Amino acid sequence: MKIVILLILFFWIPPALRAQDSDSLRTELLKQVNITANRHTESSLSTIGSVGIIKNLSNSSQPGSTTPDVLMGTTGVFMQKTTQGGGSPFIRGLTGNQTLTLIDGIRLNNSTFRYGPNQYLNTVDPFSLDRIEIYRGGGSVAYGTDALGGTIQLFTPTLAYASKTQAYGKVLARYGTSDMEKSIRVQGGIQRERLALQAGISVKKFGDVVGGDTTGRQTPSGYTDIDFDLKGKLKISENWNVILAHQSVNQRHVPVFYRYQLDQYALNEFDPQKRSLSYARLEGSTTKNLWSKITFITSYQTSQEGRNSQKIGENSLRKESDGIKTWGSSLNFQSQLGKNWTASSGVEVYYDKINSKRIDINQAEGSEISKRGLYPDGSAYLNYALYTLHQYRLNRWKVDYGLRYNGFHIKLNDRDLGTIKISPKAFVGNIGLAYQPSSFSNIYLSLNTGFRAPNIDDMGTLGIVDFRYELPAYDLRPERSYNFEMGYKIRSGSWAMGLALFQNYLNDLITREKVPGEQINGVDVYIKSNTEKAQIRGAEFEAEYHLTEYWRIYTSATYSYGKSVSNQEPLRRIPPVNGRVGLSFHRNQLTLTPEMLWAGAQKRLSAGDKSDNRIPEGGTPAWSIFNIRALYDWKILSLQVQAHNLFNADYRTHGSGINGPGRSLWIGLTANF
């Protein structure tokens, strides 16, 4: 009842507050940003669902030189960091292979993405990105498996033509005190009437993270990172363009810090951590209503994860390597089926080929033994789908609905158990209803069904994962989710607000089950099975208000409550209530932003949380940190300064394996020419 009264009050806004927006008053929340959460372009205000946008990454004073750091503090996103070279976003209580990440519309998730926190988002160079969209609670119908918690879309810059030949360039350098970061980015491009090209290279050296208060230097946690990206756009006719792109990431000697601190390892690192993506995109428009816009993408992606580990006092050095090659193709066409009826439909196919190996080296004897890798070598994973999404508008009302059929063919070549084949299928849909009382407000209800098909990591893992020994499992079914949401958005004059309430029912969750009485080398043995049902409910709130022409205040908060229905205990790794509050000043060339990030204590722990040595006994303490960001533009130069954690607080985000940086200063200088 209180919520209904609140919404009614928002409908009857005093006329004085309904002033037209002016460019000088608009902010990221106030702006009507176009987004692509459901494979078609629409404004963030009219979207049926909760969407966050981070724009102009290459030109802003966003904190951090890693993509996970850029996302930290974003409404509805909670960042867990197992180590400095990682960063796993939680969206509505879920992370890892239960959230989906795409780059320029291409799946980053592959068939070896792990359950729980992982480091894969950190293999995307933020200096190569233009914007990020976060679709909370949806994405399975539009983009397929894994989007149980939501979808993160990463977009590289859109290239533009020019009537006269123009060349441009940029050099960016960043430094973090205590040698926590030394980075440089060199980028250049050319624009012509029918051709545009851009290329960039980023070289980064991250030192050990120096924590706050009594933590000190956390050794080892530093690593090196070299990234390259190239993108070209060619106009082949007035209505058709071809885009070719390549990006590669090469990270070396990335320590898994908590293994050294908590698990008695002399060596535990990712080396190398590589990823590359090449794609061709053909897009154009026609005069046909059934296919007014057509987009075809073909892509090739590779991922290599090397792992080196050695316990203190032991002679055996383990070297593991998992390589994944992914071929992908998709065809999407948008239709104008009626005056108020549009649709986006298509087909997509992804095919993974897995290479996995392990070598144990006895350094005392100089001998090597080749063993089965973490996954069955030579395994394959085929993912194919058909989908259609529709939007219908009638006056102030809007209806969104969609359907997806997804099939899989999974083949595992286990050297001990032989060849295993399964072919799971999923059929999901979504429906949403919105009412816009005015051009600047929107109230909506939605149901998004989602799924996550079992992948190679679920089925084929054999060996030590975290602090468990896992056995393969070959009879798994897709996980399912049913996300109900109601929300309200308003953008009016000098203020904006968004509120969402959600309830997510999760069935057939794939969980690790302990094998009673079994241990291997003193480590408990687990196997995965579809045994768990769970519920996650919560609320997300964000607001901002312009105090004057130059000053604005903003805030956001996210609350999640997870429960395992099967085990009658808290759901594992649920983030605590968290948020941020900030004040921003912008005038002429100067932007100044003091900001506080905070999280409450998380004392609701599952049995798995209690046995996780990264989580303190009794739960993770509450924390808050104060930062100040400043940006000053002067002709071709731009100076970015961030004073981080001014009060030198010791803090660790829930479930992380490393503490955040203490009092420190980051300085960046960009030259555009």
Side-chain angles (χ1 to χ4, degrees):
M1 179 60 70
K2 292 181 180 179
I3 294 172
V4 174
I5 294 173
L6 181 62
L7 295 179
I8 293 173
L9 289 174
F10 279 126
F11 292 156
W12 292 95
I13 300 168
L17 293 179
R18 296 183 178 177
Q20 295 294 319
D21 290 337
S22 66
D23 289 339
S24 62
L25 291 179
R26 287 183 178 180
T27 66
E28 289 302 315
L29 189 56
L30 279 168
K31 288 181 180 178
Q32 295 307 300
V33 182
N34 288 331
I35 55 91
T36 57
N38 287 308
R39 286 192 178 268
H40 63 275
T41 302
E42 61 182 334
S43 72
S44 55
L45 175 65
S46 63
T47 303
I48 300 180
S50 300
V51 181
I53 307 102
I54 303 174
K55 291 186 62 184
N56 302 322
L57 285 173
S58 58
N59 299 318
S60 72
S61 59
Q62 289 290 342
S65 292
T66 70
T67 302
D69 287 343
V70 170
L71 280 166
M72 188 170 181
T74 305
T75 306
V77 179
F78 187 81
M79 192 60 60
Q80 185 268 13
K81 299 197 75 169
T82 295
T83 189
Q84 182 181 200
S88 193
F90 279 74
I91 305 176
R92 297 197 168 172
L94 300 174
T95 194
N97 57 22
Q98 294 177 320
T99 61
L100 175 62
T101 303
L102 304 113
I103 305 175
D104 288 343
I106 299 165
R107 294 176 62 91
L108 176 65
N109 292 43
N110 60 42
S111 58
T112 65
F113 264 42
R114 292 189 290 274
Y115 166 77
N118 58 51
Q119 78 281 12
Y120 305 118
L121 185 63
N122 195 50
T123 65
V124 180
D125 180 14
F127 296 154
S128 70
L129 298 177
D130 178 61
R131 77 182 193 276
I132 301 174
E133 294 180 8
I134 305 101
Y135 181 22
R136 306 189 293 271
S140 273
V141 176
Y143 299 104
T145 180
D146 300 355
L148 299 180
T151 306
I152 295 176
Q153 295 202 67
L154 311 171
F155 294 96
T156 58
T158 300
L159 302 184
Y161 303 119
S163 57
K164 296 182 179 180
T165 301
Q166 298 179 3
Y168 61 91
K170 179 172 73 172
V171 177
L172 181 153
R174 279 174 57 97
Y175 175 77
T177 53
S178 301
D179 286 339
M180 281 192 281
E181 180 189 349
K182 297 176 183 177
S183 297
I184 187 167
R185 163 80 172 180
V186 180
Q187 178 179 299
I190 187 171
Q191 296 172 307
R192 303 186 66 179
E193 187 175 0
R194 305 179 69 89
L195 175 69
L197 292 171
Q198 180 174 294
I201 185 169
S202 303
V203 179
K204 310 169 192 173
K205 181 176 178 58
F206 295 100
D208 294 334
V209 177
V210 179
D213 198 14
T214 59
T215 295
R217 186 172 296 275
Q218 299 172 95
T219 303
S221 55
Y223 65 99
T224 59
D225 185 345
I226 300 177
D227 310 323
F228 173 75
D229 54 272
L230 174 67
K231 191 173 186 179
K233 184 178 180 181
L234 175 66
K235 179 183 286 191
I236 56 178
S237 72
E238 286 304 309
N239 297 320
W240 289 88
N241 296 277
V242 172
I243 299 170
L244 301 175
H246 173 78
Q247 53 188 243
S248 62
V249 175
N250 186 352
Q251 299 172 349
R252 303 306 302 261
H253 301 292
V254 185
V256 184
F257 171 73
Y258 81 95
R259 292 290 194 183
Y260 295 86
Q261 184 187 46
L262 301 174
D263 292 337
Q264 302 300 310
Y265 274 88
L267 177 67
N268 198 295
E269 65 179 10
F270 297 113
D271 184 47
Q273 179 73 49
K274 293 183 178 182
R275 184 187 61 81
S276 69
L277 169 64
S278 302
Y279 71 84
R281 180 187 184 105
L282 174 66
E283 57 185 19
S285 58
T286 74
T287 58
K288 305 293 184 181
N289 287 340
L290 284 179
W291 43 81
S292 58
K293 182 177 180 181
I294 300 174
T295 303
F296 174 74
I297 304 175
T298 183
S299 63
Y300 175 65
Q301 192 166 191
T302 65
S303 174
Q304 182 184 356
E305 180 182 302
R307 296 180 299 278
N308 303 324
S309 61
Q310 184 176 13
K311 285 272 194 174
I312 293 175
E314 294 184 0
N315 292 321
S316 179
L317 170 64
R318 176 175 298 177
K319 299 181 73 67
E320 299 176 277
S321 178
D322 301 322
I324 302 93
K325 298 177 180 179
T326 304
W327 293 264
S329 292
S330 65
L331 175 65
N332 176 269
F333 58 94
Q334 298 193 20
S335 308
Q336 189 70 45
L337 302 177
K339 180 180 178 181
N340 302 313
W341 183 11
T342 60
S344 180
S345 307
V347 57
E348 61 184 20
V349 178
Y350 289 90
Y351 178 77
D352 288 2
K353 190 71 174 180
I354 315 299
N355 174 265
S356 185
K357 60 184 179 181
R358 167 185 163 188
I359 298 175
D360 287 351
I361 302 172
N362 189 313
Q363 294 178 309
E365 300 176 358
S367 60
E368 296 184 2
I369 301 176
S370 178
K371 294 186 177 182
R372 179 196 191 272
L374 184 63
Y375 309 119
D377 190 45
S379 296
Y381 191 93
L382 176 65
N383 170 1
Y384 58 93
L386 294 166
Y387 63 87
T388 183
L389 300 106
H390 295 251
Q391 307 84 41
Y392 185 81
R393 296 176 181 271
L394 182 60
N395 299 324
R396 296 179 183 271
W397 294 90
K398 178 189 175 187
V399 178
D400 282 4
Y401 58 94
L403 296 170
R404 167 180 282 257
Y405 170 78
N406 226 137
F408 303 83
H409 185 71
I410 307 170
K411 178 182 177 182
L412 298 99
N413 297 313
D414 195 291
R415 73 186 209 179
D416 297 321
L417 302 177
T419 300
I420 310 295
K421 297 180 180 180
I422 67 168
S423 299
K425 297 175 177 62
F427 189 79
V428 292
N430 69 283
I431 186 167
L433 176 66
Y435 176 70
Q436 290 192 253
S438 65
S439 61
F440 51 80
S441 61
N442 182 21
I443 181 172
Y444 64 88
L445 297 169
S446 69
L447 166 62
N448 284 289
T449 63
F451 74 101
R452 187 184 75 83
N455 64 14
I456 300 295
D457 182 75
D458 294 315
M459 300 174 60
T461 299
L462 176 64
I464 297 290
V465 178
D466 288 339
F467 45 86
R468 307 173 180 84
Y469 192 98
E470 286 197 17
L471 299 177
Y474 298 124
D475 58 349
L476 300 175
R477 304 181 303 277
E479 300 177 323
R480 300 278 183 170
S481 70
Y482 305 88
N483 185 77
F484 296 88
E485 181 175 336
M486 67 173 293
Y488 182 71
K489 307 175 187 179
I490 186 168
R491 312 283 189 269
S492 180
S494 58
W495 71 290
M497 190 274 293
L499 172 67
L501 306 175
F502 65 89
Q503 175 84 43
N504 198 359
Y505 296 93
L506 301 157
N507 293 330
D508 290 329
L509 288 179
I510 298 172
T511 56
R512 299 181 178 105
E513 297 288 328
K514 186 176 180 180
V515 180
E518 291 291 329
Q519 285 193 337
I520 295 178
N521 296 328
V523 179
D524 291 333
V525 176
Y526 287 76
I527 190 169
K528 293 190 179 82
S529 60
N530 294 93
T531 57
E532 190 170 6
K533 293 183 178 181
Q535 297 178 10
I536 303 175
R537 64 177 182 266
E540 297 157 347
F541 172 79
E542 56 185 341
E544 65 180 33
Y545 179 70
H546 267 274
L547 302 169
T548 69
E549 182 180 358
Y550 307 114
W551 289 93
R552 71 179 174 98
I553 188 170
Y554 60 91
T555 187
S556 67
T558 303
Y559 167 76
S560 301
Y561 181 94
K563 178 181 179 181
S564 170
V565 177
S566 304
N567 301 325
Q568 290 298 305
E569 66 170 3
L571 197 61
R572 193 172 180 207
R573 299 191 180 100
I574 292 294
V577 60
N578 63 90
R580 65 176 175 175
V581 59
L583 186 66
S584 181
F585 171 82
H586 176 72
R587 186 175 184 181
N588 299 327
Q589 293 84 26
L590 176 64
T591 301
L592 186 65
T593 308
E595 181 180 68
M596 179 182 75
L597 302 179
W598 59 270
Q602 182 54 285
K603 298 181 179 180
R604 294 187 67 253
L605 304 179
S606 68
D609 291 333
K610 293 175 182 177
S611 63
D612 189 335
N613 55 11
R614 290 168 292 189
I615 298 176
E617 185 176 353
T620 303
W623 56 267
S624 61
I625 59 172
F626 294 84
N627 307 323
I628 297 179
R629 297 198 308 273
L631 172 66
Y632 186 79
D633 294 312
W634 183 72
K635 295 183 179 181
I636 67 169
L637 297 178
S638 176
L639 176 66
Q640 305 99 26
V641 179
Q642 173 174 294
H644 179 83
N645 195 358
L646 292 177
F647 298 104
N648 205 31
D650 262 330
Y651 74 100
R652 176 177 293 197
T653 58
H654 182 59
S656 294
I658 190 169
N659 285 8
R663 186 186 296 116
S664 49
L665 188 69
W666 264 261
I667 301 174
L669 182 65
T670 303
N672 293 282
F673 52 89

